[in-house]
Amino acid sequence: MTEPSVRIEERPDRVVAILDRPATLNAIDQAMVDELHTLCALLEAHPKTLLLTGAGGVFASGADIAQLRERTSADARRGINATLFRRIRALPMPVVAAIDGYALGGGAELAYAADVRIATPGARFGNPETGLGIIAAAGATWRLPEIVGHARASDLLLTGRMIDGETALAWGLVSALHERAELLAAAHAIVDRIAANGARATQLTKQALSAPIEAHPAIELELQAELFDSPEKAARMTAFLERRRDRTHRTEPRR
């Protein structure tokens, strides 16, 4: 049996997926696509936050060029990577990407599909597809402008150049930078904060964030209506009020 391309670590409130094809710098091949679809099916049935990262100091160097070279127009229309990345983006709970080293081509598009991205200063983002005679067709042409704006997305996609972690932070492509030794712990800290919140409220917040502009504000009102009638809302708000009352009693001056 071949070794899996994605190492999975499942915990009660999260799943860690580590891209692990060291010989190809974690290039995304069909086997990795299939394994990630299997993981998506698990997370759709049993929602948990997904922490996505790469082994060996690399996130993902792109699609597997040896396989990509052999794909035809029919393969292009199937949207092999695009379909997977849309599925990852649509997972019920948030996806946090911890990025070190290369996140190029399909690897960059996988990172763009995450809800939260953090990186190291040594991260390198880019979409060099035009240099290979193709386009970035797995989400970059529409998702990247949403993240960094049309002008910066055009810069990256039309030149094929790479940017480093500092530039990615300045552009808003990532929300924070951490040194390599601290990256995974920082990602887990983000997941800890997510896990401390109401799971259904988190799911519906992600749903609202993903909705088209014309769906607002009606979608928030409907989602909020569900939450307002939920037992968890009552329990969490009661607990908040009790904690505030206890703090007030502790700080009141003695008479």
Side-chain angles (χ1 to χ4, degrees):
M1 291 182 62
T2 59
E3 290 294 320
S5 300
V6 184
R7 288 191 279 117
I8 304 297
E9 300 174 2
E10 189 168 1
R11 304 186 185 184
D13 59 359
R14 72 198 69 184
V15 171
V16 182
I18 305 165
L19 310 181
D20 192 11
R21 295 188 68 216
T24 63
L25 298 179
N26 301 337
I28 301 169
D29 66 350
Q30 186 63 56
M32 184 180 287
V33 168
D34 294 342
E35 290 172 34
L36 288 171
H37 272 299
T38 299
L39 175 59
C40 285
L42 171 68
L43 293 172
E44 288 159 356
H46 306 285
K48 295 181 181 181
T49 297
L50 172 61
L51 198 170
L52 190 60
T53 193
V58 177
F59 185 70
S61 61
D64 190 296
I65 302 301
Q67 288 188 3
L68 200 59
R69 184 182 59 182
E70 303 306 315
R71 289 180 181 167
T72 66
S73 58
D75 294 316
R77 292 187 175 96
R78 286 170 56 207
I80 295 169
N81 286 355
T83 299
L84 171 64
F85 299 163
R86 287 180 70 92
R87 190 175 186 183
I88 288 172
R89 179 63 173 186
L91 287 171
M93 289 290 283
V95 178
V96 178
I99 302 151
D100 187 23
Y102 293 126
L104 303 177
E109 290 176 302
L110 174 56
Y112 304 157
D115 298 287
V116 179
R117 288 168 297 278
I118 62 173
T120 66
R124 295 292 182 270
F125 296 88
N127 286 97
E129 282 89 345
T130 52
L132 297 170
I134 59 174
I135 69 171
T141 58
W142 58 274
R143 193 170 275 134
L144 187 58
E146 289 182 349
I147 300 169
V148 302
H150 191 273
R152 286 169 169 165
S154 297
D155 181 335
L156 281 185
L157 296 175
L158 296 176
T159 66
R161 72 185 182 96
M162 290 189 291
I163 59 171
D164 61 16
E166 294 286 352
T167 303
L169 179 63
W171 285 15
L173 181 55
V174 300
S175 58
L177 293 182
H178 301 274
E179 294 301 325
R180 176 178 293 179
E182 302 165 357
L183 180 66
L184 203 55
H188 277 292
I190 292 171
V191 180
D192 289 342
R193 291 186 65 89
I194 292 170
N197 299 325
R200 186 59 178 160
T202 298
Q203 291 178 27
L204 296 187
T205 298
K206 177 169 178 173
Q207 186 176 328
L209 282 166
S210 300
I213 188 67
E214 58 269 18
H216 300 275
I219 188 170
E220 283 96 345
L221 305 184
E222 285 303 314
L223 299 177
Q224 191 76 299
E226 175 188 329
L227 294 170
F228 267 30
D229 288 338
S230 69
E232 184 172 30
K233 173 234 183 184
R236 283 179 172 269
M237 289 191 177
T238 298
F240 173 85
L241 292 171
E242 289 175 350
R243 289 194 301 271
R244 186 172 67 179
R245 182 196 61 197
D246 291 343
R247 286 196 300 269
T248 301
H249 288 168
R250 287 197 298 270
T251 58
E252 284 180 349
R254 296 177 181 269
R255 297 184 183 277

